[in-house]
Amino acid sequence: MAGLDASPEDTRAVYDRNALAFDKSRSRTLFEARWLARFTARIPPQGRVLDLGCGGGEPIARWLMAEGFDVTGVDFAPAMLDICRTRWPDGDWRLADMAALDLGESFDAIISWNGFFHLTAAQQKACIPRLAAHLNDGGMLMLTVGHSHGEVTGTVAGEAVYHASLSPAEYATAFEDAGLILTGFMAEDPETNDHSVVMARKHTGPRP
């Protein structure tokens, strides 16, 4: 990890220390709206959606709930979940690490916006089959990733935090191996403040 100012082992603590500051600074402009619309277009009405790395629930979980979906939010930072539980006391908010995800249930869709890329490349490769196992057949998956293979340092409330990514070709292969069909990819999409977004659908039957 030469040249990096952050370690993946520190990510949970970074978010716990800065939960309130991160939540306050998190954009509510819904620049994610176009991708959210594409993502949810194939989810059944009132379908179950797993929001991985849900943070304080703003704005992704709030948007999904407003659209009528049954949202389960997962985060590995307790301070983030405290914010969600304050906002929505009756919500389904769970403490878990996506690197070892094993909820024992399945969902119609899984989203990890600004969460998945905190895993190392090796963890991401191991996690993708776990995500697929938590999807119903036909279920949708959407992740924000990097635009190329590598590790970089980001910031949370001014504190360094680890990011990693596979290459687009590596993601396509990992998805295919997990029974996921790539349905969308955009590197550094200018409409989403230059986020790179990948979307896939689970298909366990014969390939179309």
Side-chain angles (χ1 to χ4, degrees):
M1 294 211 349
L4 288 178
D5 297 322
S7 165
E9 287 78 20
D10 296 334
T11 303
R12 186 198 312 260
V14 170
Y15 277 100
D16 260 335
R17 284 193 295 268
N18 298 287
L20 291 175
F22 172 83
D23 181 71
K24 183 178 180 180
S25 65
R26 178 63 166 93
S27 173
R28 268 71 160 173
T29 61
L30 273 175
F31 59 79
E32 309 93 343
R34 182 171 61 88
W35 280 98
L36 287 170
R38 289 183 62 189
F39 171 64
T40 57
R42 301 190 68 158
I43 303 175
Q46 302 178 341
R48 297 193 69 202
V49 181
L50 178 61
D51 183 2
L52 278 177
C54 62
E58 291 278 12
I60 301 295
R62 180 183 291 277
W63 186 90
L64 291 167
M65 290 187 286
E67 292 296 311
F69 297 108
D70 180 6
V71 176
T72 295
V74 165
D75 207 286
F76 70 168
M80 286 296 190
L81 293 175
D82 288 344
I83 295 172
C84 290
R85 290 168 179 149
T86 297
R87 287 182 171 137
W88 302 283
D90 297 328
D92 185 5
W93 311 110
R94 307 187 196 183
L95 183 66
D97 186 343
M98 73 174 76
L101 192 67
D102 186 11
L103 301 181
E105 54 193 295
S106 59
F107 299 84
D108 297 303
I110 299 174
I111 181 172
S112 183
W113 194 279
N114 289 356
F116 185 76
F117 56 35
H118 290 306
L119 301 179
T120 67
Q123 287 175 325
Q124 290 184 32
K125 289 179 179 179
C127 186
I128 288 170
R130 288 181 179 272
L131 300 182
H134 284 78
L135 279 173
N136 296 323
D137 191 26
M140 298 298 296
L141 173 66
M142 186 162 71
L143 311 169
T144 49
V145 296
H147 65 279
S148 62
H149 184 104
E151 298 172 305
V152 298
T153 299
T155 59
V156 172
E159 189 169 352
V161 68
Y162 175 88
H163 290 216
S165 182
L166 307 179
S167 70
E170 287 176 304
Y171 281 120
T173 298
F175 288 159
E176 183 176 4
D177 290 345
L180 299 167
I181 300 171
L182 189 67
T183 61
F185 176 77
M186 181 71 172
E188 299 181 313
D189 183 356
E191 293 188 16
T192 63
N193 293 345
D194 294 329
H195 285 71
S196 295
V197 188
V198 62
M199 193 163 64
R201 179 172 58 88
K202 183 174 181 178
H203 186 76
T204 58
R207 292 302 173 96

